[in-house]
Amino acid sequence: MRDSDINKVMPLLERQVRQLDTPWLDELSKSGRDPFKILISCILSLRTKDQTTMAASKRLFALAGGPADMAALSEEDIREAIYPAGFYRVKARTIREINRQLIGRFGSKVPPRMEDLLSLKGVGRKTANLVLTLGFDSPGICVDTHVHRITNRWGYVSTRTPHETEFALRGKLPKRYWKRINGLLVAFGQRICKPVSPICSACSLTPYCARVGVRRHR
């Protein structure tokens, strides 16, 4: 893919994704920007399928909708609410600690700055960028496994890690696409541009895709 092709690819991608399921975190942000719920759901989503994340988030938020209420829950309460999310025991401890930090350091508010978000237990750049974009409508590029895989598969970037991909995209992706690219590529990657044997026959982007690393497709 040539750099200039991105302006043709993104509208095609948006049209194709309209027919697919909306990722849970994007759906959550549509109900009203709540940085706290975005943050907690991001923690729950790590190494966990979207439907499981959604169900776990809803159960937990039914018990507590803010830092004070959630910090008052026992670790066992949180574990029971979020099971069977991946690494649910570790995540329960992390969520309790995050809430303590929000209360003690940030006045029970999720901070709107990248540096502060990264100082919270268990928060990396992927989570911090999602909180900024979906929770605060601020510029950011969230690079998860889908964004990393697909932009490399296109040949738009050539990077080894999601961290490298984020900064490569910051250097070349037009800023108007920053906040949207994660939600689009998560939906696209889950249903069409799969890790193994992508469904290229159903993809509207094939004229622009270099299929880097694709050995088998449908």
Side-chain angles (χ1 to χ4, degrees), residues 21-190:
D21 293 336
T22 302
W24 160 244
L25 285 163
D26 287 77
E27 192 67 38
L28 180 60
S29 71
K30 289 178 182 178
S31 62
R33 294 190 185 278
D34 187 331
F36 176 74
K37 289 185 176 180
I38 295 293
L39 171 60
I40 299 302
S41 278
C42 282
I43 297 297
L44 292 174
S45 73
L46 301 175
R47 299 189 183 183
T48 301
K49 291 183 178 180
D50 210 43
Q51 288 298 312
T52 303
T53 299
M54 177 180 68
S57 296
K58 288 182 175 180
R59 288 193 299 270
L60 184 57
F61 296 147
L63 297 177
D69 289 339
M70 201 167 288
L73 296 176
S74 69
E75 192 173 312
E76 183 179 359
D77 290 335
I78 297 174
R79 284 201 307 265
E80 289 180 356
I82 67 176
Y83 179 82
F87 301 96
Y88 69 97
R89 295 179 185 276
V90 174
K91 288 177 181 177
R93 289 195 296 271
T94 298
I95 287 169
R96 289 202 79 207
E97 180 57 29
I98 285 175
N99 281 284
R100 290 194 198 102
Q101 292 181 21
L102 291 178
I103 293 167
R105 297 171 51 206
F106 299 107
S108 296
K109 301 290 186 181
V110 175
R113 296 174 65 248
M114 171 69 79
E115 295 80 3
D116 291 331
L117 288 167
L118 291 175
S119 74
L120 296 170
K121 181 179 176 62
V123 174
R125 292 195 66 86
K126 170 190 167 183
T127 295
N129 273 301
L130 270 178
V131 172
L132 290 174
T133 57
L134 298 182
F136 292 103
D137 197 26
S138 298
I141 302 178
C142 173
V143 176
D144 66 355
T145 182
H146 297 291
V147 176
H148 175 60
R149 178 182 74 254
I150 295 169
T151 54
N152 274 274
R153 183 174 281 173
W154 286 345
Y156 187 60
V157 300
S158 180
T159 55
R160 294 171 298 173
T161 66
H163 183 83
E164 289 181 3
T165 300
E166 179 191 337
F167 286 93
L169 291 174
R170 283 180 179 271
K172 69 189 306 184
L173 183 68
K175 207 163 187 177
R176 63 184 176 275
Y177 303 134
W178 283 21
K179 290 184 284 188
R180 290 150 46 198
I181 193 167
N182 180 266
L184 291 171
L185 289 187
V186 168
F188 186 63
Q190 288 174 343

Side-chain angles (χ1 to χ4, degrees), residues 185-196:
L185 289 187
V186 168
F188 186 63
Q190 288 174 343
R191 301 298 182 186
I192 305 292
C193 199
K194 300 185 177 217
V196 178

